[in-house]
Amino acid sequence: MKVVVISTSPRKIAKTQVFMKFITEYTNSLGLEDLEVKFINLSDGGIDYYTGDGNFSDTTKQAIKNVTEADVWIIGTPIYNSFFSSALKNLFEYIDYKKTAGKTAGLIIVASGNSGFTDVQTLLTQLMSYFNVITNPRSVFVTADTVKDAQITSEDVKSRLKQLVDETLELARKVSND
Ligand SMILES: Cc1cc2nc3c(=O)[nH]c(=O)nc-3n(C[C@H](O)[C@H](O)[C@H](O)COP(=O)(O)O)c2cc1C
């Protein structure tokens, strides 16, 4: 099973990438032979702004390949202005919805306050549905203050992130009937 972990904050000093690196390390640490884990970090830059003219960088090409080939998408987004990250949406403009049916997604949403989580969960689940992707209904909601000096300071957050990975992989196995 191929897993792609995607951190969709474009900020160089993003907190989202801290959670997503933790997810990547945890998924790798499971030591499951059938798992191949890739990490796309939009804080690293290199993904082109979508223009539709077919000219894009190798980084963009590789990201399209990794997203399209993965069975499982673990997506982390910050809330910006009550929406998910525009960098996330930009990446998905490159993805062909005819090639994504039957995949499974797990979502992590990062914000400074608690009021926007369910709205953004709904929006992102809707985007996943457009791609015919089944979304784990139990997203992880985390506030940005649980990261200090690029480290997660809350054991509860770590435990919820691990649970999301475990449950999303289990859901993916059921969906693919392996
Ligand atoms: C442009 C912008 C808009 C934001 N809008 C919201 C918002 O609507 N609701 C909220 O709870 N936090 C909001 N925040 C706070 C971010 O969610 C928070 O800073 C988070 O750490 C951003 O993730 P990042 O560090 O991975 O970029 C906003 C931050 C920025 C930079």
Side-chain angles (χ1 to χ4, degrees):
M1 189 184 295
K2 292 183 177 179
V3 179
V4 68
V5 179
I6 315 172
S7 182
T8 70
S9 170
R11 296 200 309 148
K12 300 285 169 234
I13 54 158
K15 296 200 167 178
T16 303
Q17 63 186 335
V18 177
F19 300 110
M20 304 319 285
K21 282 175 186 168
F22 179 86
I23 291 262
T24 305
E25 281 161 24
Y26 173 68
T27 310
N28 275 320
S29 79
L30 293 171
L32 300 171
E33 273 182 24
D34 67 330
L35 273 196
E36 189 187 311
V37 186
K38 297 246 162 74
F39 181 41
I40 298 172
N41 186 358
L42 300 190
S43 292
D44 291 342
I47 306 288
D48 296 303
Y49 185 68
Y50 181 75
T51 60
D53 64 5
N55 291 323
F56 36 82
S57 64
D58 287 346
T59 305
T60 305
K61 269 184 208 148
Q62 192 59 48
I64 296 167
K65 187 170 187 288
N66 290 346
V67 171
T68 307
E69 287 182 354
D71 306 294
V72 179
W73 298 343
I74 311 272
I75 301 174
T77 183
I79 299 184
Y80 290 161
N81 301 336
S82 291
F83 273 67
F84 54 72
S85 150
S86 55
L88 185 169
K89 186 68 164 48
N90 181 66
L91 173 63
F92 277 87
E93 313 306 13
Y94 289 103
I95 306 303
D96 182 351
Y97 73 94
K98 297 187 195 85
K99 296 181 182 163
T100 54
K103 298 180 190 298
T104 305
L107 311 178
I108 293 102
I109 303 173
V110 183
S112 59
N114 285 301
S115 61
F117 285 129
T118 52
D119 286 344
V120 172
Q121 181 189 31
T122 301
L123 292 167
L124 194 42
T125 302
Q126 190 179 331
L127 181 69
M128 295 297 101
S129 296
Y130 177 78
F131 284 96
N132 292 304
V133 168
I134 292 162
T135 303
N136 181 346
R138 296 219 286 184
S139 303
V140 174
F141 299 155
V142 279
T143 49
D145 61 2
T146 59
V147 165
K148 292 256 153 52
D149 300 325
Q151 299 293 326
I152 303 171
T153 56
S154 158
E155 290 307 314
D156 171 61
V157 168
K158 288 183 187 174
S159 145
R160 288 191 286 127
L161 292 170
K162 288 179 187 175
Q163 196 179 346
L164 177 87
V165 171
D166 294 344
E167 286 180 358
T168 307
L169 292 180
E170 195 184 330
L171 181 61
R173 290 211 168 83
K174 282 182 188 155
V175 168
S176 65
N177 215 7
D178 281 353

mmCIF file of all heavy atoms in Angstrom, residues 6 20-21 31 50 58 112 117 120 126 175:
data_model
loop_
_atom_site.group_PDB
_atom_site.id
_atom_site.type_symbol
_atom_site.label_atom_id
_atom_site.label_comp_id
_atom_site.label_asym_id
_atom_site.label_seq_id
_atom_site.Cartn_x
_atom_site.Cartn_y
_atom_site.Cartn_z
ATOM 1 N N ILE A 6 0.910 14.701 2.944
ATOM 2 C CA ILE A 6 1.036 16.001 2.271
ATOM 3 C C ILE A 6 0.832 17.127 3.282
ATOM 4 O O ILE A 6 -0.226 17.237 3.904
ATOM 5 C CB ILE A 6 -0.010 16.153 1.133
ATOM 6 C CG1 ILE A 6 -0.094 14.881 0.281
ATOM 7 C CG2 ILE A 6 0.319 17.360 0.263
ATOM 8 C CD1 ILE A 6 -1.237 14.908 -0.740
ATOM 9 N N MET A 20 2.946 16.899 10.188
ATOM 10 C CA MET A 20 2.998 15.949 9.073
ATOM 11 C C MET A 20 4.301 15.152 9.056
ATOM 12 O O MET A 20 4.333 13.994 8.634
ATOM 13 C CB MET A 20 2.763 16.684 7.741
ATOM 14 C CG MET A 20 1.460 17.474 7.676
ATOM 15 S SD MET A 20 0.029 16.622 8.404
ATOM 16 C CE MET A 20 -0.326 15.402 7.134
ATOM 17 N N LYS A 21 5.390 15.784 9.556
ATOM 18 C CA LYS A 21 6.649 15.025 9.700
ATOM 19 C C LYS A 21 6.474 13.958 10.772
ATOM 20 O O LYS A 21 6.961 12.832 10.631
ATOM 21 C CB LYS A 21 7.805 15.971 10.067
ATOM 22 C CG LYS A 21 8.318 16.751 8.861
ATOM 23 C CD LYS A 21 9.384 17.783 9.231
ATOM 24 C CE LYS A 21 9.746 18.632 8.023
ATOM 25 N NZ LYS A 21 10.537 19.819 8.358
ATOM 26 N N GLY A 31 6.754 -0.153 10.491
ATOM 27 C CA GLY A 31 7.558 -1.257 9.962
ATOM 28 C C GLY A 31 6.758 -2.259 9.144
ATOM 29 O O GLY A 31 7.129 -3.431 9.052
ATOM 30 N N TYR A 50 -0.711 26.723 -10.842
ATOM 31 C CA TYR A 50 -1.389 26.049 -11.957
ATOM 32 C C TYR A 50 -1.824 27.055 -13.024
ATOM 33 O O TYR A 50 -2.529 28.015 -12.726
ATOM 34 C CB TYR A 50 -2.613 25.291 -11.431
ATOM 35 C CG TYR A 50 -3.348 24.561 -12.525
ATOM 36 C CD1 TYR A 50 -2.835 23.382 -13.059
ATOM 37 C CD2 TYR A 50 -4.524 25.071 -13.051
ATOM 38 C CE1 TYR A 50 -3.499 22.723 -14.087
ATOM 39 C CE2 TYR A 50 -5.192 24.420 -14.070
ATOM 40 C CZ TYR A 50 -4.669 23.249 -14.578
ATOM 41 O OH TYR A 50 -5.310 22.603 -15.591
ATOM 42 N N ASP A 58 9.980 19.690 -12.468
ATOM 43 C CA ASP A 58 10.127 18.283 -12.075
ATOM 44 C C ASP A 58 9.536 18.039 -10.691
ATOM 45 O O ASP A 58 8.971 16.977 -10.436
ATOM 46 C CB ASP A 58 11.614 17.889 -12.075
ATOM 47 C CG ASP A 58 12.146 17.748 -13.494
ATOM 48 O OD1 ASP A 58 11.316 17.698 -14.430
ATOM 49 O OD2 ASP A 58 13.382 17.715 -13.675
ATOM 50 N N SER A 112 -5.456 28.543 14.593
ATOM 51 C CA SER A 112 -5.122 29.206 15.855
ATOM 52 C C SER A 112 -6.271 29.101 16.849
ATOM 53 O O SER A 112 -6.054 29.061 18.054
ATOM 54 C CB SER A 112 -4.737 30.661 15.621
ATOM 55 O OG SER A 112 -5.807 31.323 15.018
ATOM 56 N N PHE A 117 -12.835 24.586 12.584
ATOM 57 C CA PHE A 117 -12.435 23.215 12.224
ATOM 58 C C PHE A 117 -13.476 22.454 11.399
ATOM 59 O O PHE A 117 -13.159 21.868 10.371
ATOM 60 C CB PHE A 117 -12.107 22.408 13.479
ATOM 61 C CG PHE A 117 -10.777 22.750 14.101
ATOM 62 C CD1 PHE A 117 -10.687 23.053 15.455
ATOM 63 C CD2 PHE A 117 -9.615 22.747 13.351
ATOM 64 C CE1 PHE A 117 -9.456 23.354 16.039
ATOM 65 C CE2 PHE A 117 -8.376 23.043 13.924
ATOM 66 C CZ PHE A 117 -8.306 23.349 15.277
ATOM 67 N N VAL A 120 -13.974 23.674 7.763
ATOM 68 C CA VAL A 120 -12.888 23.311 6.844
ATOM 69 C C VAL A 120 -12.876 21.798 6.602
ATOM 70 O O VAL A 120 -12.601 21.339 5.491
ATOM 71 C CB VAL A 120 -11.534 23.844 7.379
ATOM 72 C CG1 VAL A 120 -10.372 23.316 6.552
ATOM 73 C CG2 VAL A 120 -11.540 25.367 7.344
ATOM 74 N N GLN A 126 -15.408 17.531 0.946
ATOM 75 C CA GLN A 126 -16.089 17.763 -0.340
ATOM 76 C C GLN A 126 -15.091 17.671 -1.497
ATOM 77 O O GLN A 126 -15.371 17.078 -2.544
ATOM 78 C CB GLN A 126 -16.725 19.147 -0.277
ATOM 79 C CG GLN A 126 -17.655 19.479 -1.408
ATOM 80 C CD GLN A 126 -18.241 20.867 -1.216
ATOM 81 O OE1 GLN A 126 -18.396 21.345 -0.101
ATOM 82 N NE2 GLN A 126 -18.555 21.527 -2.312
ATOM 83 N N VAL A 175 -11.489 -0.768 2.310
ATOM 84 C CA VAL A 175 -11.963 -0.257 1.026
ATOM 85 C C VAL A 175 -11.372 -1.065 -0.131
ATOM 86 O O VAL A 175 -12.041 -1.406 -1.088
ATOM 87 C CB VAL A 175 -11.598 1.247 0.880
ATOM 88 C CG1 VAL A 175 -11.801 1.736 -0.536
ATOM 89 C CG2 VAL A 175 -12.426 2.074 1.843
#
